[in-house]
């Protein structure tokens, strides 16, 4: 990551792996986490230690999107039920 490859950034809602707010589109922010910490306004657990873009201003009674490792910047293998949107 670290903004590379450039064509994969900016990341959208519930997409990762971000390293700071500048990796996220528009007003989205990078939610820095450890382990499987829940990402606000996203559902699912994503990948351990990965950080995801989220909307800090989007009130939600329940999560809408699943965290995803998309675009896939490291050639990671898709694991059904783990990284889908």
């Amino acid at each position: 990551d670290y903004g590379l490859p450039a064509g994969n950034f900016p990341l959208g809602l519930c997409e990762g792996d971000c390293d700071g707010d500048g990796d996220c589109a528009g007003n989205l922010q990078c939610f820095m986490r450890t382990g499987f910490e829940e990402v606000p306004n996203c559902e699912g657990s994503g990948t351990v230690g990965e950080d995801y873009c989220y909307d800090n201003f989007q009130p939600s009674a329940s999560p809408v999107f699943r965290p995803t490792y998309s675009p896939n910047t490291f050639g990671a293998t898709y694991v059904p039920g783990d990284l889908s949107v």
Side-chain angles (χ1 to χ4, degrees):
D1 50 3
Y2 295 103
L4 297 172
N8 292 340
F9 294 85
L11 299 169
L13 183 61
C14 301
E15 290 182 342
D17 177 37
C18 56
D19 294 307
D21 295 345
D23 289 342
C24 301
N27 292 325
L28 298 178
Q29 296 176 337
C30 184
F31 186 77
M32 308 298 278
R33 63 190 202 136
T34 15
F36 288 108
E37 210 175 335
E38 187 174 310
V39 180
N41 297 309
C42 298
E43 64 181 32
S45 57
T47 301
V48 67
E50 299 294 327
D51 306 314
Y52 295 92
C53 296
Y54 78 111
D55 186 351
N56 191 33
F57 303 105
Q58 174 185 341
S60 178
S62 62
V64 180
F65 297 97
R66 294 179 55 84
T68 180
Y69 194 70
S70 173
N72 181 340
T73 59
F74 297 107
T77 304
Y78 172 74
V79 179
D82 187 19
L83 304 175
S84 62
V85 174

